[in-house]
Amino acid sequence: MDHFALVDGAMQCEGVPLQRIANEVGTPVYVYSAATFERHAQVFRDGLAGVKRKHLAYAIKANPNLAVLRLLAKQGYGADVVSLGEMQRALAAGMPASDIVFSGVGKTVGELSAALHAGLGQFNLELEEEGSVLAAIAADRGLVADAVLRVNPDVDAGTHAKISTGKAENKFGVPISDARGIFDRLAPLAGLNLRGVAIHIGSQLSELAPLEAAYRRIGALVQELRAAGHAITHVDLGGGLGVPYKEGDVFPSPAEYGAMVARVTDGWDVELMFEPGRVIAGNAGVLLTRVIWVKPGAGNPYVIVDAAMNDLARPAMYDAWHDFAAVRPTGEKMIANIAGPVCESGDTFAMGREIDVVKSGDLAVFRTAGAYGATMASTYNSRALVPEVLVSGDKFAVVADRIQPETILAAERVPEWLQA
Ligand SMILES: *Cc1c(COP(=O)(O)O)cnc(C)c1O
């Protein structure tokens, strides 16, 4: 459920007509609904009511806007970060350092050191050497780093290959069969409190079965590690729950997910950690765009919109589907291709799709653009960096400016030897 709906024939976000945002901020622009974010945060937490000890770490990479993070901090969410930049955002939003988990397959020594200095709550180790390096940095400063080992359960998440992370050939985690040996060698190190294990098998999962299979493997590993004398107090179950991008698609609900988790982890006696990203942010945002031209072609007409692949990369990157809807639909439909102004054919949002009839100048939205939308935006083709707006009730605020090409140009320079 979201808060983007037609009121008197025109789409609003909560109490604010999208037309008003387009007039005042221009297009393209991301529009987020605070009420939807809050609802998703609540529904995910409620779904896990059967899990007594839990920690919720919102995966910042899904939507790292500072205002969004502030809103989620107020909902009691910590963060899962994958870079120092994300760590800075979480701290700036008021999330306690101790509620932040540091994931990522390529944390540099500098990043490990800075995160330790900031007092981050947990390091999710991706390889043995990272653990020994972290232990040495911590011991050197008389600190102890809380850490878990990310394992690769070799489960096919059944999602797009580029966002599958739990198959043996993926770059993430250590093979489950290596975990015991790594624990034996890392656990005794001063400076490290290796307290558990982590997994994250992929994103946009449409079924619970792969998650359940992975969780069962982790449960068996916890038993094996305990039998070997290791104290396991934390298990990080990652993120990955998918959201419907197409009207009518049905996905497992947070309640169904939570019931599965409670059933599978019964008796584990650990604090369970969760890293939801898309399921919190996906349906909380749209990309508002204006139709520039409707261009007749050899086949279907091309609806050329002012949003492009640099603003919303998912269709070009993952062949992803985003529903497209007119802000003021007439009720009539047309079959069209939808594309942006960028000079490559990859800048296409849809082919041969039945959509609301639109004409030059009309406003429209790409739905379900709250996750992996603005965060992946670039300035390719020297376009402006797309701005973001947060709506709450009948008010809205620009929460990220449109960064103009002049500003980006100002950070570039011609070396002296080329100036003459
Ligand atoms: C991307 C990521 C997540 C969030 O994934 P979603 O599918 O958005 O829930 C969680 N944990 C890790 C380690 C990730 O890389």
Side-chain angles (χ1 to χ4, degrees):
M1 205 208 103
D2 62 43
H3 290 78
F4 298 90
L6 295 179
V7 178
D8 296 333
M11 195 182 296
Q12 295 197 172
C13 175
E14 302 189 26
V16 178
L18 292 183
Q19 174 80 58
R20 208 178 116 205
I21 294 173
N23 291 349
E24 293 183 29
V25 187
T27 55
V29 57
Y30 279 93
V31 181
Y32 306 135
S33 153
T36 310
F37 266 107
E38 280 157 10
R39 183 170 180 280
H40 290 173
Q42 190 59 47
V43 165
F44 190 79
R45 186 192 298 281
D46 290 350
L48 293 168
V51 176
K52 277 195 274 324
R53 281 186 291 144
K54 56 180 170 280
H55 176 73
L56 302 177
Y58 167 66
I60 288 197
K61 74 176 194 280
N63 185 326
N65 182 277
L66 189 59
V68 166
L69 298 184
R70 180 70 198 143
L71 182 158
L72 291 172
K74 287 186 163 205
Q75 298 286 314
Y77 275 68
D80 172 58
V81 305
V82 295
S83 69
L84 281 192
E86 287 192 350
M87 180 186 89
Q88 285 160 3
R89 285 174 175 275
L91 293 173
M95 290 172 172
S98 56
D99 285 351
I100 303 175
V101 172
F102 197 178
S103 296
V105 71
K107 307 179 206 77
T108 64
V109 172
E111 284 182 312
L112 290 171
S113 182
L116 197 60
H117 184 70
L120 244 62
Q122 176 175 292
F123 292 82
N124 289 13
L125 304 176
E126 286 271 356
L127 71 165
E128 180 173 352
E129 194 181 355
E130 185 188 9
S132 45
V133 167
L134 177 63
I137 302 171
D140 202 42
R141 295 199 204 153
L143 298 172
V144 176
D146 288 325
V148 300
L149 181 65
R150 179 167 177 180
V151 295
N152 185 317
D154 194 17
V155 166
D156 186 349
T159 184
H160 192 282
K162 286 184 186 167
I163 47 174
S164 283
T165 54
K167 285 287 287 169
E169 64 268 28
N170 295 139
K171 67 179 175 179
F172 299 99
V174 303
I176 282 204
S177 52
D178 294 353
R180 162 83 197 279
I182 294 175
F183 260 81
D184 289 348
R185 291 185 292 276
L186 289 184
L189 300 183
L192 199 64
N193 172 29
L194 190 57
R195 63 186 190 180
V197 286
I199 50 168
H200 172 70
I201 64 168
S203 198
Q204 184 56 6
L205 271 68
S206 55
E207 287 174 20
L208 294 179
L211 286 168
E212 177 163 350
Y215 295 175
R216 288 194 186 283
R217 287 182 194 180
I218 285 289
L221 176 62
V222 167
Q223 280 195 338
E224 184 195 332
L225 293 170
R226 281 184 173 150
H230 296 293
I232 304 298
T233 57
H234 290 72
V235 175
D236 187 334
L237 295 179
L241 212 51
V243 300
Y245 281 91
K246 248 184 221 180
E247 198 179 349
D249 275 2
V250 179
F251 273 69
S253 68
E256 288 163 330
Y257 171 73
M260 179 277 282
V261 169
R263 179 163 47 77
V264 173
T265 64
D266 188 35
W268 284 14
D269 189 25
V270 293
E271 176 165 329
L272 286 179
M273 309 177 76
F274 299 89
E275 301 169 347
R278 190 188 309 266
V279 74
I280 303 290
N283 283 317
V286 300
L287 174 57
L288 177 60
T289 186
R290 196 180 285 282
V291 175
I292 306 177
W293 308 112
V294 177
K295 181 185 175 195
N300 299 313
Y302 268 95
V303 173
I304 309 289
V305 294
D306 67 359
M309 63 187 289
N310 68 298
D311 305 305
L312 177 61
R314 297 188 67 260
M317 218 160 136
Y318 313 124
D319 300 313
W321 176 291
H322 285 270
D323 277 344
F324 179 85
V327 164
R328 196 175 270 287
T330 61
E332 287 165 294
K333 299 284 181 184
M334 65 198 265
I335 309 283
N337 310 326
I338 309 168
V342 160
C343 294
E344 61 170 279
S345 296
D347 185 23
T348 300
F349 294 104
M351 291 297 286
R353 182 132 18 128
E354 186 183 72
I355 58 168
D356 293 332
V357 166
V358 287
K359 57 183 191 324
S360 306
D362 284 356
L363 291 171
V365 296
F366 291 102
R367 287 183 172 276
T368 318
Y372 306 104
T375 181
M376 284 187 180
S378 75
T379 58
Y380 183 40
N381 273 213
S382 292
R383 289 163 52 83
L385 192 64
V386 62
E388 297 163 88
V389 161
L390 182 66
V391 173
S392 180
D394 57 8
K395 59 180 184 289
F396 76 89
V398 176
V399 293
D401 289 343
R402 189 183 309 278
I403 309 225
Q404 298 291 355
E406 304 85 271
T407 308
I408 293 158
L409 192 56
E412 297 178 22
R413 55 197 57 85
V414 175
E416 209 176 311
W417 75 82
L418 283 177
Q419 285 179 9

